[in-house]
Amino acid sequence: MNKLRTAATSAALALVFAHCAPAFSQDAGTAGQTPPQEQDAAEPQAGSTGETAAPPTGDAQPAPAAEDTAGQDGGTAQKPDDGQTAPQLATEPTKGGGSVEHPAGDGEAQAAASGDGGGEAPAVKADKKPDAWMQDQNSWATFNGDLMAQKYSPADEITPDNVGNLEKVWEYHTGDVSDGSGDLPYTVWSATPLFVNNTLYIGTPFYKIVALEPDTGKAKWTFDPKAKLEALTQPALKNRGVAYWQAESPEQGQPCQKIVYIGTMDAKLYGVDADTGKACENFGQNGMVDVNQWNTVNAKWPLSLLQAATVYHDTLFLGWAGKDWTDAAAPPGTVFALDAKTGKLKWMFHALPNEVISRTGTSNVWASMSVDPERGLLYIPVSSPSPNYYGGNRKEELPLATSVTALDTDTGKVVWSRQLVHHDIWDLDTDAPPTLVDIKKDGKTIPALVQSGKQGFLYVLNRETGEPIYPIEERPVPKSDIPGEEAAPTQPYVAKPEPVIPDQWPGVSALADAVGFGECSARAAKYRYDGRFTPPSLEGTIAYPPTTGGTEWGGGAVDPNTGIYVVNSNSVVQIYTLVPRKEFEQKSQEGETSGYYAQGDAPYAFKLETFLNWAGMPCWKGPYGMLAAYDLKTGERLWNEPFGQVQKYGFYMPESWGSVTIGAPVITKSGLIFIGASMDSRVRAIDLKSGKVLWKALVDAPAVSMPAVYTYKGRQYVTFAVGGNTILLPKVADQVVTFALPK
Amino acid sequence: MSEISEPRTAGGAWLVVAASAVGSVVALVNLVNDGNGIAWSFGAWLVLVSSLLVVVAGVILALHLALSGWLRGVLAILLLLGILGTGAAAYFLTAWILLVAMGVALVGWVIHVAADPSPLD
């Protein structure tokens, strides 16, 4: 039976991997159609993404300050809709070659930006503290549960002993779903519901906001911005939730003392009264801020607002997603700080120096961010620069690219930055929010952060300074053999904590090789592979981990009391092949460029393929997805278990094979992990101590999100948004489902 | 090898028919019951069709339809493959009732072969 299962597993995995290549990155989009809109705003109801070349310095990078102060120009401004235009901005340099813009004449902002507030090593600041409303232990107030991205709930009603009794208490269907068969692009829904203000808020892939009663799932109101439902920058309609803000002292009877925000693919940010669902007139223009007004450099596509904003005091921090596969010069990475009440720009951070933006772009922040509320620091995961796989035209040091960087929340200035991949030519974006936690180690309490990433390393850093708590060493890595390319001679390497994936690619699957009559081993022998960070090549390079990760945008969760950190990961092999421009153009004329990416006018286009045999079976050994727990106090891995099951044609494959995962875990005080993420359309509760599955339930599609855990009227609830992702399974859904113990 | 003879009883074949008929109903329910994780999947269709084929084969054997001895033998072997294949598919679909049904059908097949007729002669 095992052999039968193995064979069936391999076959079942085939199509999964065949389609998972571009979807983990900020992918080129395809045109969609604008559908008819359905509901009016606030109508009561009954019922990059994913996205570097520098000789390494190795150490924590209080990066060199940039000399240039000029604003970024040279691009074609994309006019925003609705008459919103950018005010005059003043630019100041910051560390790492970055810069910060703020409204000219804004004395307060200017003083803050040029004053002592930015760029200094921060200690706990007397005037900094968490927002009081966010401190409610019963709530799930942000995308990651809290600002520190711990994904931790102090709720303890549901325990390892009683979790087996968990039952579904309600489900709600948003109606916002598309399998791509009609006029609309397919939907990818990875929203985390927020529970705050006694209401469950969730965003949909049609960019609506739905407010639900937390115990019954009955809709309170729905806000429909009537957004363009077109695949402008992504191949699918995507949403990763909403953000919530409330005034420190809300005025009774006044609207918009509490606001829920949602962004759209075409760069519009809407602010809606959290109690009524009506647009906040004072937020931007009639409740909308067009972020594209600041998209003025290499403005080839809109700055898609797919990830919920990060809210701290009265400021919204916004990153964006785009397409980093198609162009060389692209919109350069920016993070916006907006006034939560008015939508006015406070500051705008640029990760790339002005000199390079005619040749590169992105290095944006498309994943969520975290904040140390007591130090006033914003931690941003910065992605790789464009084009993704050839850096011959961007050989300058770009210290902030593919980095984790700490910004001063008041000024936007870089406090410290650590580059995680030098001269990134693998699309190894820093793709998840750093998890902030205080670690008790060697008798000291260290303010730390844990940064996961596509390369499968876990960087444990002092979050005040960026210095490693566990060593990060610079190791020599293979040279590029591509004319014009200069791979970095060394790359940062983390041995402890042990990486989430092995150092070497898993090797050829005997079964897939047999089915392919030796195809897998023959191809593997032909490809270039010299270990981690083998550069893309003309003959094809085995990339492990490739752009799929490693770890994806969900990142990990931590129990702040014990320092136990949990993270899910993927083990996927892809082939990176550079294609000379002339050859690519020839293929283009012949219509043979499926799976190819132009990379703008770079000397090389790029071909990305997942390593499969003729039958579509993965040529490498499993398992394909894992869930692991680490003790941050010692850096030791406590357990590492295959997670989830592959499902294909309805058939479930052995648990020992694991599943590629998209989503993130949540930890509760009682010692449970709640997680969806797997392709078998199941959500699970796992024992934090052992990694064993204690409970699982079937849902409508893969729950490619992280759950929200909250307590309402004394009862603990676990809510999943179940939306599916066609790279896992050709199954999409619009289900919000909540579980609790029987009353 | 003995001479071809009419079976003394068809109890085993009828057990195959009964079990696979139950299995077909279960497979049909699995196919149309949205939310079970396998509804409308290729695998759900596959086990429905294979269950029905097992029913048909079982009926042919049970009713002693005019088949030559070697055809009955071939049919019995195909029936076994159908039962085992459907059972294996049910296992991968986590369709446990169907798996049990195929287990019962397998018992019926053994009875048919061992105690009913001599299908292979």
Side-chain angles (χ1 to χ4, degrees), chain A residues 168-255:
Chain A
K168 184 168 74 178
V169 292
W170 59 261
E171 66 180 299
Y172 177 85
H173 292 269
T174 69
D176 291 359
V177 63
S178 166
D179 63 6
S181 61
D183 293 338
L184 295 178
Y186 64 88
T187 48
V188 170
W189 192 32
S190 301
T192 305
L194 303 188
F195 172 66
V196 64
N197 193 33
N198 288 330
T199 304
L200 201 68
Y201 299 100
I202 193 158
T204 80
F206 289 5
Y207 312 108
K208 294 177 192 167
I209 305 173
V210 181
L212 301 173
E213 292 180 358
D215 51 348
T216 65
K218 187 179 175 187
K220 291 183 172 181
W221 54 259
T222 298
F223 170 77
D224 182 357
K226 303 191 184 305
K228 282 183 187 170
L229 301 184
E230 299 178 19
L232 299 173
T233 64
Q234 308 288 311
L237 299 174
K238 291 184 180 179
N239 170 265
R240 284 210 289 271
V242 297
Y244 175 91
W245 165 88
Q246 75 173 52
E248 192 170 349
S249 304
E251 296 174 31
Q252 290 291 331
Q254 294 297 312

Side-chain angles (χ1 to χ4, degrees), chain A residues 4-5 647 649-652 698, chain B residues 35-38 43 91-93:
Chain A
L4 180 62
R5 295 198 77 143
Q647 187 185 20
Y649 305 126
F651 299 116
Y652 295 97
L698 189 64
Chain B
N36 63 10
I38 60 173
Y91 176 74
F92 286 113
L93 291 168

Side-chain angles (χ1 to χ4, degrees), chain A residues 52-57 64 96-97 353 355-356 394-400 419:
Chain A
T52 328
T57 60
E355 310 88 74
V356 301
R394 50 171 174 84
K395 294 177 184 173
E396 297 87 345
E397 288 194 20
L398 304 173
L400 301 180
Q419 190 167 58

Side-chain angles (χ1 to χ4, degrees), chain A residues 160 564 627-629 638-641 671 673 685-694:
Chain A
I564 307 299
L627 185 69
L638 302 173
W639 49 261
N640 188 30
E641 295 287 334
I673 303 164
I686 290 166
D687 185 1
L688 180 59
K689 284 183 182 168
S690 66
K692 301 302 176 194
V693 176
L694 299 175

Side-chain angles (χ1 to χ4, degrees), chain A residues 506-711:
Chain A
V508 170
S509 157
L511 179 68
D513 201 33
V515 171
F517 304 104
E519 177 193 352
C520 293
S521 54
R523 286 174 61 192
K526 188 187 76 174
Y527 295 135
R528 183 178 179 197
Y529 181 70
D530 300 316
R532 278 182 180 270
F533 300 107
T534 304
S537 60
L538 294 172
E539 70 267 32
T541 290
I542 291 176
Y544 186 82
T547 182
T548 54
T551 303
E552 263 295 328
W553 54 262
V558 72
D559 180 338
N561 303 308
T562 61
I564 307 299
Y565 175 84
V566 174
V567 66
N568 53 296
S569 63
N570 302 316
S571 177
V572 175
V573 176
Q574 293 183 296
I575 308 301
Y576 284 10
T577 309
L578 291 172
V579 182
R581 177 65 48 197
K582 279 187 180 175
E583 186 182 330
F584 174 75
E585 287 170 356
Q586 179 72 28
K587 286 179 181 292
S588 295
Q589 288 172 0
E590 295 167 359
E592 295 178 356
T593 52
S594 176
Y596 288 69
Y597 300 90
Q599 300 203 115
D601 56 0
Y604 300 91
F606 181 76
K607 183 183 181 187
L608 181 71
E609 56 185 325
T610 303
F611 192 16
L612 309 174
N613 67 10
W614 66 271
M617 298 164 62
C619 277
W620 70 99
K621 298 172 186 168
Y624 304 101
M626 305 290 286
L627 185 69
Y630 296 82
D631 185 342
L632 297 178
K633 298 187 295 296
T634 63
E636 298 298 325
R637 188 160 67 193
L638 302 173
W639 49 261
N640 188 30
E641 295 287 334
F643 176 73
Q645 286 179 275
V646 170
Q647 187 185 20
K648 198 69 188 174
Y649 305 126
F651 299 116
Y652 295 97
M653 301 305 149
E655 291 182 351
S656 61
W657 289 65
S659 160
V660 173
T661 62
I662 303 177
V666 165
I667 295 176
T668 67
K669 183 182 178 183
S670 58
L672 287 170
I673 303 164
F674 288 100
I675 181 171
S678 63
M679 67 178 293
D680 58 4
S681 303
R682 287 192 160 90
V683 295
R684 290 172 167 83
I686 290 166
D687 185 1
L688 180 59
K689 284 183 182 168
S690 66
K692 301 302 176 194
V693 176
L694 299 175
W695 166 88
K696 61 184 176 183
L698 189 64
V699 292
D700 287 357
V704 289
S705 57
M706 83 181 82
V709 178
Y710 58 93
T711 302

Side-chain angles (χ1 to χ4, degrees), chain A residues 355-367:
Chain A
E355 310 88 74
V356 301
I357 58 174
S358 62
R359 292 172 276 123
T360 184
T362 61
S363 290
N364 53 311
V365 178
W366 58 265

